[in-house]
Structure formats: structure tokens, C-alpha cells
Amino acid sequence: MPTWIACKRDGGELSDDALREIVAGATRGTVPDYQIAALLMAIVWRGLSPRELATWLDAMVASGDRLRLDRIAGVKVDKHSTGGVGDKISLCLAPLVAACGVPVPMMSGRSLGHTGGTLDKLEAIPGFQTALSPRQFEHVLQNAGLVLAGQSARLAPADRMLYALRDATATVESIPLIASSILSKKIAEGADALVMDVKVGSGAFLPERARARALARTIVELGKRAGLRVVALLTAMDQPIGRAVGNACELAEAIEILRGSGPADTRALTVRLGAEMLVLGKRAADRRSGAVLIERAIQSGSGLERLRTCVILQKGDPRVIDDPARLPRAARVHEIRARAAGCLIRLDAGAVGRGATLLGAGRLRQDDRVDAGVGLELDHKVGDDIERGERLATVRFTDQARWFAARPLLEQAFVIGAGPVRVSRRMVLETIA
């Protein structure tokens, strides 16, 4: 290991055998954490060549089991997001794509930092099980057309171990390590294709467009080398998506979309990503026809019924589909009101996300508990005219001390100035394939 660490530290390339041995040793625990940490930092500084990265990914997939979904007809297509504030898109997207005939095996994650996790939102449903065995995973996918589950202990275990170490050693933001982490799970879960949503802006994991573009291109190229068809979209994340930021409240908004209502931006991004998935899944010839099919699945209610079936099969309470008021709601409420009249010229997604995390909607550490009932409902978005004293958002919280910590961030997220302000309605900034 010291020889390999030094090689990478000095800008050299590691052999395929060395890379496989490192990943296997990290998974088995035969290579100490401090040596893996040193190598990860060397990778942050020196990167991995395309050959090294392909071998690293292959070793991560080979560290555990790999689901074989051959018995399920059709092209299996997943979607992954780098995480955004108010990003509840997976919750309405997966049922709609499934309703259009494309199987969606979706292995999701939990929140960390200021972005929410799909699993945390799903677990706001009483009884909903995200920990599924491979057999259960396949059963739900076969019968619902989609499955929304967490990473099992047997699928890409190297990724779980390496991610925890990256989080503790400030090496999370390495593009090769991010790309291999995402794709190892997608390949292990049995997906044939992937739509990658890479967020850009103040609320994004990688705020700078150039870095986000580099990640998108790396994932597309690495996926191709591994036999996975990938399309990546750079999408706007300067203000939260939709109106709800939290866990249960975001799930309620996703249900609204499936019912044919809900915020326009949430619906627009859902339709666009869904169209991309249908093209990859060979159910639509192009994005335009794919968008038409997704809109029909909304209007017919077939997407909503797919979600209901998924909830039942994963042991959740299906009554929340018809009555989202059954979802958890924190009892304490505070209204953020405008201190001056003008135009809302900025709504800082990063500040909103960090404030929501302090309320308990997200995690600062992996072992933090999430409060499903806390969060925000936004009354306004950038470009709206505001009267003095007008309500900007409703905050739900459980713990008074958490509210006092979050309040400055949440109040400062709303910037009112002279208008009008030019507002771009483009959600998708670039497409990379």
C-alpha cells in the first residue's frame, strides 16, 4: 500500500491488479482505513485516468452481489440526482415512467448535508420498507413496475465503506470518486440505462457549472465503458424546486403532481426527465413524444396508481396516497414575513437547505435522526412582487432550539429588492450524452 499511495501521490498510474486489490482489501477490512484515506486524498489531488477509473468501478461492483433482472421484460432505466433543495422529483417520476411501460429499479440514498434523501421522504409513509432483499427488490419491480429501495449490504459494499471514509476525510467532492460511487450502485442494482440529473447553483452539491459539467461527462463516459447507457442533464438549483422543502411535505407535493396539480417547475422537470427515461427505455422515439406519454400518465391517474401499488408492496400505508394529511406534520408553526415591499430577487436554495437541516429535515452526520414532519412551504418564488408584511413561507418545527438556530438562515434566504427581475424558466441548462 505505501508504494501504491506514493505512486498516486506523485502522479503515477496504478495497475489494474493494484486497484482491484485495494478495493477488495478496503471491503474486507484487510487494508487499514488510514491507508485508504491517504490514497483517497492522493486521488483527490491527482485524479484517476480513464483506464484506472474503469477498473476502480469494476472492482467496486465486483465487491458484492449484482442483481440480474433478466426475468423482467424491457429496458430497466433508473434516474439519479446529485441532490437539490426540494428535489422530490424521484417520488413522482418513477411511478409515471413505470406507468408508461419502462421498469424503474431505483436504489436511492438518504440525506447528508443540506440536500434531502429520497429514502427519508419515503419513510415518512407509516410502515414503508426501504430495506429489501434482492428477491423482494425483484418482486416489487415485477409487480409495480418500479421499486424504491435503499442500498442493501450485499450490493457494492465497497461503495458504502469508501463513502463513509470519504465523508470523514473531506474527499467527497472528487469527480472520479463521485462518478464511481453513483455508477457502482446503478450497475449492481441491474439497471440497463440511467438518466443523471446534475444540479448547478447555490443549492447544489457542485455549485459551479464547469465542475458539474465535468462530473456529468465523466459519468456518461464511464457508464458507456461499463455497458450502461447514460444521459446527463445539468439542471438549475439556485432556488428550491417547487414549494415544499422537507420530507413529508415533499412527498405530499409529489402526490399533487401525480394528481395533475402541484407547482409548475416540479411538474416541468418531472416531465422532462421522464421523457429522457422513456427514450432510453425505447418507449418513445424522442423527447417530445416521451413528454406526451408522461403527461398522459398524469392525466389518467395511472402514475398515481403505480405509486399506490409500490407503497402496498413495500408495506407502507396506502391511505396517504388519497389523504396526504395522514403524513407527519410538526406541531409548531412560524410564518416568515417580508420586512419590505419590492420584488423577490433571490431565494437562496443553499440557505434554505441548510436551515431545513438545522430544523431536523436532514443530517449533518450519518447517524443523525431525521424529523419527517419539519420543513417549509414556500409562498413565493424569484420574480414575485411582494408587499410589506406578506407571508413568504410557513415553517414547521418540533424543537424550539432548532428553530432559533435555523431562523437566521431561513430569513436571510429571501432577498427583496427593486424589480422587476429577469427570471429564467429553464430548468434544464445542458444535456450531455
Side-chain angles (χ1 to χ4, degrees), residues 127-130 132 140 147-149 309-316:
F128 192 92
Q129 294 181 1
T130 59
L132 303 179
V140 176
V147 58
L148 301 165
T309 301
C310 178
V311 169
I312 292 170
L313 290 172
Q314 294 188 231
K315 311 301 181 185

Side-chain angles (χ1 to χ4, degrees), residues 102-320:
V102 172
V104 183
M106 190 170 285
M107 196 170 286
S108 302
R110 301 185 183 280
S111 67
L112 189 63
H114 69 269
T115 60
T118 299
L119 295 186
D120 297 307
K121 293 161 192 166
L122 288 165
E123 288 175 348
I125 302 172
F128 192 92
Q129 294 181 1
T130 59
L132 303 179
S133 69
R135 180 174 294 182
Q136 290 171 322
F137 188 95
E138 184 174 353
H139 173 74
V140 176
L141 181 60
Q142 180 76 67
N143 289 277
L146 73 151
V147 58
L148 301 165
Q151 182 181 2
S152 77
R154 294 165 56 187
L155 295 180
D159 176 62
R160 282 198 333 279
M161 180 273 166
L162 289 170
Y163 188 88
L165 199 54
R166 287 165 56 209
D167 184 51
T169 57
T171 54
V172 170
E173 294 184 10
S174 162
I175 285 174
L177 295 177
I178 296 169
S180 57
S181 174
I182 292 168
L183 291 177
S184 66
K185 293 188 285 285
K186 302 309 175 184
I187 294 169
E189 77 183 8
D192 300 312
L194 172 69
V195 171
M196 187 70 208
D197 180 2
V198 181
K199 302 297 185 187
V200 179
S202 68
F205 178 62
L206 296 176
E208 304 86 6
R209 189 158 174 171
R211 292 264 295 159
R213 185 186 296 115
L215 174 61
R217 286 177 174 163
T218 300
I219 290 175
V220 168
E221 291 303 318
L222 182 60
K224 285 179 182 177
R225 291 183 68 135
L228 188 72
R229 296 174 60 207
V230 184
V231 173
L233 285 71
L234 303 189
T235 65
M237 184 33 64
D238 280 318
Q239 63 175 328
I241 299 173
R243 303 282 181 181
V245 180
N247 290 295
C249 62
E250 288 191 40
L251 176 59
E253 184 176 298
I255 292 171
E256 281 186 61
I257 296 296
L258 292 171
R259 286 178 171 170
S261 57
D265 57 346
T266 306
R267 180 165 176 154
L269 187 55
T270 299
V271 172
R272 175 57 190 277
L273 291 170
E276 295 283 359
M277 292 177 73
L278 294 186
V279 172
L280 283 176
K282 300 183 179 180
R283 286 287 177 171
D286 51 40
R287 294 174 196 156
R288 181 174 295 181
S289 58
V292 170
L293 291 173
I294 295 293
E295 290 284 6
R296 286 178 183 168
I298 294 174
Q299 293 162 11
S300 69
S302 58
L304 186 69
E305 291 311 307
R306 290 286 181 158
L307 179 61
R308 188 193 309 277
T309 301
C310 178
V311 169
I312 292 170
L313 290 172
Q314 294 188 231
K315 311 301 181 185
D317 184 351
R319 292 178 296 176
V320 303

